Amino acid sequence: MPDPKYTKPWHGVLREAIEWHPTVDVNACIGCGTCVTGCSRMVYRYDFDNRKPVVADPLNCMVGCTTCANTCPTHAISFPSLDTVFQLEARPEVRHAIEDDLVARRDDLAWQDAVPHADRIINLKVAAMTQPGPHTLLLTLRPVSPADALCQFMAGQYLELLPPQSGWLSRAYSIGNAPRDDGSVELQVRRVAGGRMTEWLFDGVRVGDVIHARGPQGHFTFRSEPGTPLAFIAGGTGFAPVKAMIEQRLRLDPQRNIVLFWGVASAEDLYELDEIGGWAAQDATFRCTLAIERGALPSVLPAGTRADVGRLSDVIHSSGEPLAGCDVYIAGPPVMMPDVLDAVTTLGVERDRVVIDSFGV
């Protein structure tokens, strides 16, 4: 019988609704018993007559755990794809349940020997808010005082916004511009249905409000040698750090041979076409391919830009762009990364020439 202490809801999701448990290939299994004795949750029992493990209580299995498969000497144990777990973790209600659990158990979980955080807290006033599409908010934030100015950050870094409710954790948003003399920054926010932070930013914040932030942080920064051809790949609002890096490159090193791929769900999410057109007008070597998963293509595109219907990875693969020899910078949600990486490596890009930003990672 499943043990109730192991089968309680996983971050608010009924355990019975999650397909996660081991499967044993009895032909490959040598009956060593490592999986049976190594699992503290009693997922397995041992058939002593046939010398084989039996998955007796699959609901006892910890969601995401693959220890038994990792230690099986004949690789006889398999699990569903980890995408099963990643898709659950992407759901707002799951993220909120994790956040609430952290906050509720703060006294038990906090690292008591923590040193003071090295990044300063800054105060930024909302100078402008525009909503170029139904799912995207552009925030322009200016420093409240000279001490809050962000003039020295590196393009590609991000800020942690500190929500007004003290019980929430901070959220990371990439800076969508190269450094400016006035220290202002632009953030590009994608609305998440049911998301606490995005609901506050879209519906609760007004021009003139002061937002507390920490940073800048992050290692998704430019590191290529002069003269190296560059490819930038963005998924959704992963366009923000890519935009900042391209903007800086065109300012400091024009005629660099830059190619951009930008993947969105639909054409209404293409909120920076004018900016892309300006880059093409500024640099004749710049070119852009848009990947639109569903719906119609834009009726008008900037010079140097083309658009195809399909997933970002498929459009990259079929683009014909000579990416071999490029340094590649990729920013976007974790779910897109495996297929995009496969596409660029198939086109001849060496893995050590790829720099990844998966929303703050």
Side-chain angles (χ1 to χ4, degrees):
M1 289 287 293
D3 190 324
K5 69 174 177 286
Y6 298 138
T7 58
K8 64 183 181 179
W10 185 82
H11 304 305
V13 181
L14 291 176
R15 180 61 183 88
E16 295 85 349
I18 303 173
E19 185 68 22
W20 187 268
H21 58 75
T23 298
V24 178
D25 180 349
V26 294
N27 293 319
C29 174
I30 59 174
C32 68
T34 301
C35 56
V36 181
T37 58
C39 179
S40 62
R41 288 180 162 235
M42 295 294 289
V43 171
Y44 295 95
R45 302 294 186 278
Y46 196 72
D47 181 344
F48 283 90
D49 291 334
N50 293 306
R51 297 187 67 248
K52 299 291 181 181
V54 177
V55 179
D57 287 312
L59 293 181
N60 283 1
C61 186
M62 180 186 294
V63 176
C65 179
T66 60
T67 299
C68 57
N70 297 338
T71 57
C72 177
T74 59
H75 308 292
I77 300 172
S78 61
F79 280 86
S81 169
L82 277 171
D83 287 344
T84 302
V85 181
F86 299 150
Q87 289 167 8
L88 288 170
E89 291 172 341
R91 289 162 53 174
E93 64 270 25
V94 172
R95 295 202 302 271
H96 295 164
I98 295 170
E99 179 177 59
D100 291 343
D101 195 19
L102 280 171
V103 173
R105 300 166 59 198
R106 182 181 184 121
D107 291 344
D108 294 329
L109 300 178
W111 181 38
Q112 300 301 326
D113 296 329
V115 297
H117 203 295
D119 298 308
R120 60 196 177 109
I121 303 297
I122 55 177
N123 301 308
L124 301 172
K125 181 176 288 188
V126 180
M129 300 176 65
T130 59
Q131 196 169 330
H135 310 297
T136 307
L137 176 67
L138 304 184
L139 282 176
T140 300
L141 306 177
R142 292 205 174 100
V144 171
S145 71
D148 298 312
L150 286 162
C151 301
Q152 303 300 321
F153 71 88
M154 293 181 284
Q157 289 188 301
Y158 63 88
L159 292 178
E160 287 184 44
L161 297 191
L162 309 179
Q165 286 82 356
S166 60
W168 296 0
L169 302 180
S170 60
R171 305 292 197 272
Y173 295 96
S174 294
I175 300 172
N177 59 273
R180 297 170 179 163
D181 291 341
D182 65 357
S184 64
V185 295
E186 176 192 280
L187 304 184
Q188 302 176 6
V189 182
R190 171 83 176 179
R191 184 189 283 274
V192 177
R196 292 170 174 170
M197 192 71 166
T198 58
E199 285 185 353
W200 171 63
L201 290 172
F202 273 77
D203 304 326
V205 171
R206 299 290 181 265
V207 172
D209 288 353
V210 173
I211 295 178
H212 305 297
R214 180 163 52 214
Q217 303 181 70
H219 303 288
F220 185 67
T221 54
F222 192 76
R223 59 194 74 178
S224 298
E225 295 294 329
T228 305
L230 305 172
F232 293 93
I233 300 172
T237 49
F239 183 78
V242 162
K243 173 179 178 287
M245 296 173 78
I246 293 176
E247 181 182 304
Q248 188 173 60
R249 286 305 97 203
L250 292 177
R251 180 191 303 171
L252 300 177
D253 191 12
Q255 308 299 311
R256 183 61 182 257
N257 188 16
I258 295 175
V259 58
L260 166 66
F261 292 92
W262 185 16
V264 294
S266 63
E268 64 186 6
D269 296 320
L270 295 169
Y271 52 88
E272 292 279 16
L273 287 183
D274 289 343
E275 185 80 20
I276 291 172
W279 294 339
Q282 179 181 348
D283 188 338
T285 68
F286 175 83
R287 56 206 183 275
C288 173
T289 297
L290 306 172
I292 300 170
E293 286 200 20
R294 59 178 181 272
L297 297 176
S299 56
V300 178
L301 290 173
T305 301
R306 60 187 293 266
D308 286 325
V309 174
R311 295 191 313 155
L312 178 57
S313 56
D314 295 334
V315 171
I316 293 170
H317 192 270
S318 62
S319 67
E321 282 287 350
L323 297 186
C326 289
D327 283 353
V328 180
Y329 295 81
I330 308 174
V335 67
M336 83 173 202
M337 291 300 171
D339 289 341
V340 169
L341 278 172
D342 183 64
V344 299
T345 54
T346 299
L347 292 176
V349 177
E350 298 173 11
R351 182 62 182 83
D352 61 0
R353 301 189 71 164
V354 178
V355 184
I356 294 175
D357 177 52
S358 188
F359 289 162
V361 175

